[in-house]
Every structure is written in structure tokens, then in C-alpha cells.
Amino acid sequence: MDKPAPGIDWARLRFAIVGSLLAAPPATGELGTALDRLAAQTWRHPRTGEPLRFARSTIERWLYTARSAGQDPVVALRSRVRKDAGSQPSLSLALREAIRAQWQAHPGWTVQLHFDNLKAVVAAQPALGPLPSYPTIRRFFRAQGLCRTRRKARAPTAGSLRAEQRLASFEVRSFEVEHVNGLWHCDYHTGSRKVLSSHGEWVPAYLLGVLDDRSRLATHVQWYLAESAETFAHGFAQAIQKRGLPRALMTDQGGPMLAAETQRGLRDLGILHEPTLPYSPHQNAKQEVFWASVEGRLLAMLEGVSELTLALLNEATQAWVELDYNQKGHAELGESPLARFLRGPDVGRASPSSEALRRAFRLETSRAQRKSDGTVSIEGRRFEVPSRFRHLDRLWVRYARWDLGHVDLVDPRTGTVLGPLHPIDKAGNAEGRRRRLDPVMTAPAPGTPSGMAPLLRQLLQEYATTGLPPAYIPTPIEEVTP
């Protein structure tokens, strides 16, 4: 049932009263009798349903208004809008500026708190004029768009202030890509329930969620004990293995998403990284809606579990995601996320192998080689360099900070892996056994010099052609030397 616009319900009632006179106009001299008959009837209030009666003069005025309206008599019978509607003349110009200034200084206050403080301001500054009633002040706030904003738990920073100004200056619009696997969303969520660790401590759990933009499908969801690049690479690689390689990924600008390992892995896998603006979580709103489902359904069903462990939480999460969330009808989509994901169209790519994914999420940097023992330092640990690369001053290595068991030496120009690097074994080196040096292919082995150097021989010849004697005086010992 449609809800009529303000004022149209009264216009419909008035038209229903005089409509019979318009459809069957009374004969000459009988209009007064018809009006008296309508004035004697009882009508129902259009909003409350209470009985109503109208005077003959009122009904007569409505009749003439409808006659002269032409094509749309209902609109003509609507109540007239006051000329000063919305202008609020009871508020002086100075008081309006004082209200705006107070709201800018305290946007987190309620209207009632603003009103109470305005009383004190007007009492101290009578020149602002009398303060109107609270409903008038509330209508002014609504008309001017002075909405209450949530208070920040922390002190505002320059970045948060710029984000608030941007949000207040630019419109916010929902979006959706046209292809499955065209864009994924990824974020962390701190659960409202703590889990019992193996050390007998209650620790917070962090949920990594990866969603497909078009279908809202949860490609992979997993709880961890930390927000880090390691857990991101672990969970995101599983999402790729389940659903394929996406074309783009939207995340916030948290540490795990901006880590060198993450950035390198996304580039190597051909995934465009689209981070949201700072302090702008509304750009990744699909994730926020998913967190509400996690808290409202999944964790709500675990309220009766007193000793909740990380393993049990992850098992319950996988069952809920795959059998409930992904297969349940979505109100906005009109179908389940899984059905829409399978329906496509799909621009995803096949998933690489597990080893390729593990090697992708690693940073690449250079290290100076210590020529004395042929080692490089990585994260405070020394690694042996193969002897065939002993002539290089700087080496490019690729590794993940959480997995120093797999460190590779790479060619910085092509990215080719030249070989693995292993930690130095000091105990093994103490046994005194040494490997023979591998030949360096870029230069021949050093030999014994023979004869005078070509440059010095050239200089002697040029000096002799000048005809000048040697520019030095030999000692007497040198003169008698044969």
C-alpha cells in the first residue's frame, strides 16, 4: 500500500466530498440544498480516522477551487504552503551563525545538547536574539544538514580531518563490477569473542575475509591470532586456489596489505591492487556488511560454547560460510552468492601451484656481500653465497620475513632465480673441511705476469723520441753498475 505525500491525503478527502457535485452538477437553485446535505454528513479524518464535519462555506470554497483547477483538481485542493515555510524567521542571522559555529566545534553533540548550550550562549550574548523552542532548533538542524557524527575514540589527526572533509564534500555511491573475479575485497575483522589458546590464555581472534565484488561470494574466510603479512598471504593464497586468480583486489591501507611481500606477490600474480583512501572504510562497505553477518549469525550461534578454541572457530566458520552464507539468497542480488558466482561472466584465471603462490609473496632486495667469507646478512642471520658469485659486490635476494628457510638469489634484470641461499653452518665449518672454489665464468683464472706492461713500453718509446736525457741524476753506485 502506497503512502501518500504530505498534504495529498487531505486533498483526496476534499475531492471525495465535492466530487459528486462535479460529476453530477445540481440544477439551478439546488446547489445550496446539496451543500447543506454534505455539511450534515460525517467524514473520517484521513490520518486518525476520527469523525469530522465541515461547514457549508468550507465545502462551497472547495467546490469552486476544484471547478477552476482544470485537469488536476486534487492538486488544487491541497493545503497552501506557507510563504515563510522553511525560512524559520524566529531565528536571527546572528543566532544561525552561532549554531553553525557550535556544530562545527562539536559535531558529535546531540541536538538537545546543542540546545542546552545555546541557552547559555544567548544568556551571555543577548544581541543574538531570543532562543526559539527546541522543535524549531531541531528543524533548523535537519534543514541545514547539521547531522550528528560519531565521536572518534582517538584524537583527530591530519589524515582523519582530510577524510572527514572529503566525505562531506563529495557524494558516496554504491558500485559493482560487471564480471565475476573482476574485483575482490579483503579485510581483517576483530571478533567479539576471544579464543582459548594452547597456553591457557584468552586471546583475540582476527578474521581474514576475501569477498568477490559482483557475487558477494566469500572466496575464503579464516581466523588467525594476528594481523600480519604472513596470515594475509596464507589466507589469500587459499582463496586463489579455491576460486582462481582475480584481476584486482581492494583493501584498506593496513600494514599487512602494504607489506613488501604482499605488494610483490600481487605484482607477480598480475593482480591490480586498489587500496581505499585513508580513514574511508565506507569504500569497502561490502566487507562491513559481511562482518555484520559474521557477528549476527555465526558468533551468535556460538554463544553457548564456553571454551572456544581457534580450531573449533575455524571449523564452524567454514561450515557456516560454505553451507549457509554462500548458498543463502541475497536480498540485493535476488539469488545466492554461489549461484551468481557460477553464472558469471567470469574474467578469472587458473590458480598457480601451491609452490608458485608461496614463492610469489616474498620481498626482493639487495644485500652487500662480505668478501672475507662470502656471506650476506638477512634479517640478522648470515647466509652463505655460492662461490661462483663471489665476485659480485651486491646480490639481489628474494625471501619472506616469516620464512627464512626459503631464500633465493635472483637476477635483478630478469627476475630469474639463480639458486638458493642457506644459513651459515658455523659448527660444520669448525670441522675444517672446505669445498673447492667454483670457477667464475666472467674472468679467466689468474696466471704469472710476463714482460713489461704494454702501456709502460709505449711511454718509454715516446720518451726516447724526444731526444732528451733521462730527467734524473744517477747515484755513483748506479754509474758503476754493469
Side-chain angles (χ1 to χ4, degrees), residues 81-240:
V81 180
R82 293 177 48 175
K83 294 182 179 180
D84 60 349
S87 61
Q88 296 170 316
S90 58
L91 286 170
S92 64
L93 182 61
L95 185 56
R96 293 168 187 259
E97 295 300 326
I99 293 175
R100 292 191 182 95
Q102 181 173 281
W103 180 84
Q104 289 179 347
H106 307 282
W109 284 4
T110 62
V111 179
Q112 182 65 56
L113 186 57
H114 277 289
F115 180 73
D116 296 339
N117 281 269
L118 286 173
K119 289 181 181 179
V121 172
V122 171
Q125 304 178 27
L128 295 177
L131 181 66
S133 63
Y134 170 75
T136 302
I137 297 297
R138 184 177 58 186
R139 286 193 298 269
F140 178 77
F141 270 77
R142 292 180 178 177
Q144 298 296 319
L146 306 180
C147 303
R148 180 188 180 188
T149 58
R150 295 183 179 272
R151 294 183 177 181
K152 303 296 182 181
R154 302 177 181 177
T157 62
S160 63
L161 294 177
R162 287 195 300 269
E164 291 180 2
Q165 181 63 30
R166 181 173 59 249
L167 184 60
S169 304
F170 294 91
E171 60 184 10
V172 178
R173 289 289 181 265
S174 301
F175 67 92
E176 181 181 287
V177 298
E178 298 180 350
H179 298 84
V180 168
N181 285 327
L183 174 65
W184 281 7
H185 299 265
C186 185
D187 198 5
Y188 281 95
H189 170 70
T190 304
S192 59
R193 289 284 307 273
K194 291 186 176 181
V195 297
L196 185 62
S197 69
S198 58
H199 302 287
E201 299 176 347
W202 291 103
V203 294
Y206 304 93
L207 179 62
L208 174 67
V210 186
L211 302 182
D212 178 66
D213 181 83
R214 177 171 174 79
S215 64
R216 315 299 198 273
L217 182 81
T219 57
H220 183 67
V221 179
Q222 187 169 347
W223 295 88
Y224 295 96
L225 296 181
E227 295 184 35
S228 63
E230 178 182 2
T231 58
F232 172 83
H234 183 267
F236 189 68
Q238 294 181 73
I240 293 175

Side-chain angles (χ1 to χ4, degrees), residues 406-464:
H406 298 84
V407 179
D408 288 334
L409 181 66
V410 298
D411 185 346
R413 297 168 298 180
T414 62
T416 305
V417 176
L418 302 178
L421 299 183
H422 301 291
I424 186 171
D425 185 5
K426 294 184 178 181
N429 294 340
E431 297 179 359
R433 292 178 296 182
R434 298 292 183 268
R435 294 184 298 271
R436 186 178 299 275
L437 292 176
D438 294 330
V440 178
M441 302 304 298
T442 57
T448 303
S450 60
M452 185 179 296
L455 176 60
L456 183 58
R457 186 181 299 108
Q458 177 184 353
L459 294 177
L460 286 173
Q461 293 175 357
E462 292 179 358
Y463 192 80

